[in-house]
Amino acid sequence: MSDNKFDYSQAKYEKINCNLCSQDNNEPISRKDRYGLRVQTVICINCGLIFINPRMSRIDYDQFYQSTYRAQLEERNGKKIDLDNLFIKSTKLGQKLVERIGDYINSGLTLEIGSSCGGILNGLKLARPYLEILGLEPSSIEAKYANDKGIKTFVSMFEGFQESLPSLQNIFIVRSFNHLLGPAGFIKWSHDQLSSGGKLVIMVIDFIEACRNRGALKTQIDHPYMFTQKTLVSFVQSGGFDIEYNIVEGDYIYLVARKNNHKPFNKLEINPLAYKDAKKYLKPFKLWWNYQVNKLFN
């Protein structure tokens, strides 16, 4: 990548266990990401979760987001990020989300994790004026844009967020769940922050569907975790939520869940077919898979 301010060769990497089932029983599916970086992606044989392992430390990911993430997106898309245009497009997405799941959204204080320039929150507010909106965004540039638009946004990765919040009615995480370093921790935190009957709304890429639609296994360093519909449901149900809406459309899973009274992760709801189905659906990429797993780096 040109103008790469983050030196991946100097990053500290850590080996991790599965964030869902805590097992250390996985097999690699790729050893380079879509940018050609030496990023090993594995699948958990026990629960089917797909994740980067080993992966960069939280401190290095934070530096990456502050220095390089935007440039990486711009290079991939072949153009500079226009925040005005992004705000307009994201506003439309927020409005479309309300059209899709508006019947499930509570009134009151609504937080979006990974809120970018605030467009999705703006769309939610335009469609549902009774919502109070807050954002949390690791990019200081995008957070400043949102704040300048009057959308209060904290600058932080979720993992380093320290602010105390009032009880929330809704938590949205749109196209950001696969950027988290600890999905289980986020689910538990959401359960703690939401009021009784509070709603968790997730829109995230279904890795299997994206692979099939794009004809390739495209992992990337800024996606520490990759989900299928089965593994996402396992996370949410294990974390003390009841699923109210759950559909895959195009590359994306749309899920709405209601907080219940169960203690988060007291009992795991693992789908025994998640691993087998992932392997079956990825079978068309077997030659590519074996090439990535077995080839030596130059």
Side-chain angles (χ1 to χ4, degrees), residues 62 66 114 136-139 143 154-162:
D62 189 38
Q66 293 301 330
L136 178 64
E137 168 56 39
S139 168
F154 298 100
V155 183
S156 176
M157 289 182 66
F158 163 75
E159 291 81 3
F161 186 56
Q162 300 292 330

Side-chain angles (χ1 to χ4, degrees), residues 78-97:
K79 59 182 179 181
K80 291 283 187 181
I81 294 175
D82 181 340
L83 291 183
D84 290 329
N85 187 48
L86 179 60
F87 185 80
I88 292 171
K89 288 184 176 180
S90 298
T91 294
K92 292 178 181 178
L93 175 57
Q95 292 172 312
K96 288 181 179 179
L97 283 173

Side-chain angles (χ1 to χ4, degrees), residues 198-209:
K199 303 298 180 70
L200 176 62
V201 180
I202 300 175
M203 176 184 171
V204 68
I205 289 175
D206 184 309
F207 183 68
I208 299 299
E209 290 302 313

Side-chain angles (χ1 to χ4, degrees), residues 60-225:
D60 284 307
Y61 264 110
D62 189 38
Q63 292 176 352
F64 160 72
Y65 277 112
Q66 293 301 330
S67 64
T68 302
Y69 178 63
R70 285 168 54 84
Q72 184 169 280
L73 286 178
E74 289 173 348
E75 181 161 318
R76 189 177 77 191
N77 296 328
K79 59 182 179 181
K80 291 283 187 181
I81 294 175
D82 181 340
L83 291 183
D84 290 329
N85 187 48
L86 179 60
F87 185 80
I88 292 171
K89 288 184 176 180
S90 298
T91 294
K92 292 178 181 178
L93 175 57
Q95 292 172 312
K96 288 181 179 179
L97 283 173
V98 172
E99 291 176 7
R100 177 185 289 274
I101 60 167
D103 291 342
Y104 301 96
I105 301 174
N106 292 335
S107 302
L109 188 58
T110 299
L111 173 72
E112 184 188 3
I113 304 295
S115 53
S116 184
C117 60
I120 290 174
L121 286 171
N122 186 56
L124 296 177
K125 181 72 172 178
L126 288 174
R128 291 290 189 272
Y130 53 74
L131 294 177
E132 303 171 59
I133 54 175
L134 284 173
L136 178 64
E137 168 56 39
S139 168
S140 57
I141 294 174
E142 294 179 22
K144 181 181 184 303
Y145 184 97
N147 280 305
D148 289 345
K149 286 285 188 179
I151 300 166
K152 184 175 180 180
T153 302
F154 298 100
V155 183
S156 176
M157 289 182 66
F158 163 75
E159 291 81 3
F161 186 56
Q162 300 292 330
E163 296 284 342
S164 177
L165 296 173
S167 184
L168 300 170
Q169 292 296 323
N170 307 288
I171 295 177
F172 278 71
I173 183 161
V174 178
R175 297 177 174 173
S176 296
F177 193 59
N178 48 356
H179 289 262
L180 298 178
L181 300 183
F186 169 76
I187 297 291
K188 182 180 183 302
W189 180 86
S190 297
H191 192 276
D192 291 342
Q193 295 295 321
L194 286 165
S195 61
S196 179
K199 303 298 180 70
L200 176 62
V201 180
I202 300 175
M203 176 184 171
V204 68
I205 289 175
D206 184 309
F207 183 68
I208 299 299
E209 290 302 313
C211 287
R212 293 201 293 192
N213 292 337
R214 299 169 187 175
L217 283 170
K218 289 192 175 181
T219 62
Q220 54 195 71
I221 198 165
D222 54 307
H223 290 178
Y225 291 92

